[in-house]
């Protein structure tokens, strides 16, 4: 078997199909640079590209291999806007700020696609996103959402689907209605990780894998310590998301890990009734189910039953049970790959971007909506280093309180709270 992430469970279909994955050296000795980045997922790698292209001397250190965290293992769904619907943000912040956050996310989407295409990164993009109501009472919200997106936010690509159309487009009658978004789509995330690393290296960023940062301090100058060397820098981006442990305590108090799991079936065949249009899907459950077809016709199905960081003993069977609830004909379908990763979530499900020490900015907690936003946040960080912090500020100003319970109890409290919501999904 080829390389498998040591920090996320299971061998993923992405790992099996990503193609060549060049290895980068470990840090060996002491370095002084302009900017040091800790963490080689989308956030860190994208920042490395844009900093290096702007002429900064930048070093990025990743504890394992690029993409071993959430970035190489996720559902690949780009979505539209922020994780919260634009109308919810409008109710909270007023129209101008909600529109600015929506526009930022639209730019993030366009940027990701353009970045991949101009740099020759094949990301297996497939268009279309469907969001569906697992309870009848949510259907009107979806209908109103389609209207408000077109009329207030200038986004005409979302249309409402009644129950019949939903059943036809998904190949299951399990949902009561929903919306279809033709302005977005889904990708093979690990291919984007590998391609972004290649572009960063070509732009002159110094990239190190298998180099875990064990200590981070800042007294004006930032110092990063690892077992094989140190890096001293003027500035630092902490991009460890849900995988940072207690490396940096402020981030750890605001961004917490939640396990999420995906299974890939055998190719279902071109006559399969499952999502014949090839869109990606998410549903209205708090413990969201997200699924999509791959380019070669597999069903990639993600979800989990209860909330915790622990891994179900048998991911394949746990996922197959969920598939069978929607697609009884697939109750015995072969699942060829099953894996998981840790989603970095925050209390309000908004990104956590903050200066946590002098000259040290932490970015993460995209709460299951980071494929486009984490990439773009890396670019915004580079913009901020170059002197324009206005757009990064839009994210920095989001109110994200820390999780209650302190270091000892916050995992327990989170477990209890999330399972309460998970229970409500079933009521
Ligand atoms: C199963 C799953 C499904 C998801 N599905 C979707 C989806 O469909 N759509 C969507 O938009 N989002 C989704 N997400 C979320 C999305 O993947 C993340 O928001 C995004 O990848 C975050 O990127 P990142 O670079 O901030 O963090 P990560 O990719 O997690 O990278 C953090 C990196 O930091 C490294 N690191 C940690 N500590 C250290 C240290 N001390 N020294 C050096 N390196 C360190 C880790 O090894 C890791 O590689 C999903 C996440 C998961 C886990």
């Amino acid at each position: 078997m080829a390389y498998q992430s040591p920090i996320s469970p299971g061998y993923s279909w992405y790992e099996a199909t990503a193609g060549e994955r060049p290895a980068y050296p470990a840090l060996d000795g002491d370095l002084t640079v302009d900017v040091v980045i800790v963490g080689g997922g989308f956030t860190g790698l994208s920042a490395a590209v844009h900093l290096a292209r702007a002429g900064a001397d930048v070093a990025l250190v990743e504890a394992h291999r690029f993409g071993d965290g959430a970035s190489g293992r996720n559902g690949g769904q780009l979505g539209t806007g922020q994780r919260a619907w634009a109308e919810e943000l409008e109710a909270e912040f007023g129209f101008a700020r909600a529109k600015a956050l929506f526009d930022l996310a639209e730019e993030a989407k366009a940027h990701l696609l353009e970045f991949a295409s101009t740099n020759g990164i094949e990301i297996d993009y497939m268009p279309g996103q469907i969001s569906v109501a697992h309870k009848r009472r949510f259907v009107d919200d979806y209908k109103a959402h389609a209207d408000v997106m077109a009329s207030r936010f200038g986004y005409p690509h979302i249309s409402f689907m009644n129950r019949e159309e939903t059943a036809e487009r998904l190949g299951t009658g399990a949902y009561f209605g929903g919306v279809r978004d033709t302005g977005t789509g889904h990708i093979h995330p690990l291919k984007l990780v590998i391609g972004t690393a290649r572009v960063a290296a070509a732009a002159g960023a110094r990239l190190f894998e298998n180099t875990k940062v064990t200590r981070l301090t800042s007294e004006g100058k930032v110092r990063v310590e690892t077992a094989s060397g140190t890096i001293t820098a003027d500035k630092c981006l902490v991009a460890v998301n849900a995988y940072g442990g207690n490396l940096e305590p402020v981030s750890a108090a605001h961004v917490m890990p939640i396990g999420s799991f995906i299974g890939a079936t055998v190719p279902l065949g071109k006559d399969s009734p499952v999502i014949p249009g090839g869109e990606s899907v998410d549903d209205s459950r708090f413990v969201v189910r997200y699924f999509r077809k791959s380019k070669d016709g597999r069903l990639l199905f993600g979800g989990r039953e209860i909330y915790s960081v622990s891994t179900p003993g048998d991911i394949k069977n746990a996922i197959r049970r969920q598939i069978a609830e929607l697609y009884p004909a697939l109750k015995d379908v072969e699942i060829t790959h099953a894996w998981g990763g840790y989603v970095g979530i925050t209390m309000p499900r908004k990104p956590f971007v903050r200066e946590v020490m002098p000259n040290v900015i932490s970015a993460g907690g995209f709460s299951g909506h980071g494929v486009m936003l984490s990439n773009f946040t890396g670019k915004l960080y580079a913009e901020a280093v170059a002197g324009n912090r206005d757009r990064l500020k839009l994210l920095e100003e989001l109110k994200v309180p820390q999780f209650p319970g302190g270091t000892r109890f916050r995992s327990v409290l989170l477990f209890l709270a999330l399972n309460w919501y998970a229970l409500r999904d079933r009521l």
Side-chain angles (χ1 to χ4, degrees):
M1 191 186 283
Y3 175 79
Q4 176 186 331
S5 167
I7 49 168
S8 303
Y11 178 61
S12 75
W13 177 77
Y14 301 131
E15 283 161 331
T17 55
E20 196 196 344
R21 193 173 177 185
Y24 295 86
L27 179 67
D28 182 15
D30 300 330
L31 275 185
T32 299
V33 294
D34 298 328
V35 186
V36 60
I37 299 167
V38 186
F42 288 141
T43 307
L45 287 168
S46 164
V49 168
H50 296 287
L51 285 162
R53 282 184 172 172
D57 188 4
V58 53
L60 185 157
V61 272
E62 161 56 45
H64 301 279
R65 294 195 64 186
F66 300 139
D68 276 0
S71 296
R73 310 175 63 82
N74 55 61
Q77 305 197 8
L78 300 184
T80 286
Q82 303 287 332
R83 188 179 188 281
W85 280 355
E87 54 269 43
E88 290 166 27
L89 294 175
E90 182 177 2
E92 189 176 348
F93 300 132
F95 181 73
R97 207 163 148 208
K99 179 78 164 79
L101 285 164
F102 179 78
D103 289 348
L104 191 84
E106 273 303 280
E107 203 184 328
K109 189 198 293 174
H111 170 72
L112 187 152
L113 297 176
E114 202 212 318
F115 178 81
S117 108
T118 54
N119 291 291
I121 307 172
E122 175 47 77
I123 54 171
D124 296 354
Y125 179 75
M126 290 170 70
Q129 160 75 31
I130 286 174
S131 299
V132 284
H134 80 292
K135 294 271 163 69
R136 193 185 298 277
R137 65 175 185 269
F138 296 139
V139 171
D140 286 347
D141 295 344
Y142 281 106
K143 198 170 195 176
H145 178 60
D147 288 346
V148 94
M149 289 311 290
S151 61
R152 278 187 76 64
F153 287 88
Y155 186 81
H157 309 293
I158 295 183
S159 53
F160 174 70
M161 303 182 305
N162 62 20
R163 190 165 190 176
E164 289 68 38
E165 182 180 348
T166 303
E168 213 168 286
R169 291 198 182 277
L170 264 54
T172 169
Y175 292 103
F176 291 91
V179 289
R180 176 160 166 261
D181 183 348
T182 55
T184 188
H186 48 109
I187 65 164
H188 186 307
L190 187 54
K191 289 188 178 178
L192 180 60
V193 167
I194 294 168
T196 308
R198 179 174 51 74
V199 175
R206 307 187 212 196
L207 304 184
F208 302 102
E209 289 185 319
N210 296 307
T211 307
K212 182 172 184 171
V213 174
T214 49
R215 190 154 182 258
L216 169 67
T217 51
S218 170
E219 287 161 8
K221 284 275 183 194
V222 181
R223 190 177 142 88
V224 150
E225 296 176 22
T226 77
S228 55
T230 63
I231 303 179
T232 306
D234 295 329
K235 291 183 188 300
C236 173
L237 173 65
V238 176
V240 295
N241 199 33
Y243 288 83
N246 282 323
L247 174 68
E248 194 288 297
V250 180
S251 312
H254 289 82
V255 179
M256 290 195 66
I258 290 294
S260 185
F261 302 93
I262 303 179
T265 69
V266 290
L268 298 180
K270 64 177 181 354
D271 297 328
S272 165
V274 175
I275 328 176
E279 296 93 341
S280 55
V281 182
D282 65 358
D283 75 11
S284 53
R285 285 180 173 80
F286 185 82
V287 186
V288 61
R289 293 185 183 175
Y290 53 99
F291 45 104
R292 66 190 184 99
K293 292 281 269 295
S294 62
K295 272 237 152 121
D296 64 352
R298 293 162 195 271
L299 177 62
L300 306 189
F301 193 99
R304 69 167 303 143
E305 279 160 357
I306 58 154
Y307 263 116
S308 77
V309 288
S310 67
T311 303
D314 182 349
I315 305 176
K316 280 188 183 173
N317 271 329
I319 294 293
R320 199 184 349 252
R321 268 198 303 277
Q322 296 195 352
I323 292 177
E325 278 177 29
L326 301 184
Y327 300 106
L330 296 182
K331 70 179 178 15
D332 298 318
V333 69
E334 185 185 347
I335 294 185
T336 57
H337 301 79
W339 69 96
Y342 299 102
V343 182
I345 63 157
T346 63
M347 284 272 285
R349 299 291 205 274
K350 299 189 178 89
F352 174 74
V353 180
R354 192 170 300 174
E355 185 152 352
V356 290
M357 287 184 234
N359 298 323
V360 179
I361 288 185
S362 175
F366 299 97
S367 304
H369 197 70
V371 171
M372 61 174 180
L373 283 176
S374 58
N375 273 289
F376 200 60
T377 302
K379 177 174 160 41
L380 297 185
Y381 175 75
E383 247 176 52
V385 170
N388 178 3
R389 199 160 162 177
D390 291 351
R391 298 199 309 161
L392 190 69
K393 273 246 175 300
L394 266 175
L395 300 179
E396 288 180 70
E397 283 167 3
L398 294 170
K399 277 206 178 62
V400 176
Q402 66 177 41
F403 282 92
T407 31
R408 281 186 65 197
F409 296 113
R410 62 182 173 239
S411 300
V412 181
L413 289 178
L414 178 67
F415 174 82
L416 293 172
L418 294 177
N419 279 303
W420 160 245
Y421 284 111
L423 178 68
R424 289 207 326 189
D425 278 342
R426 299 188 192 124
L427 302 177

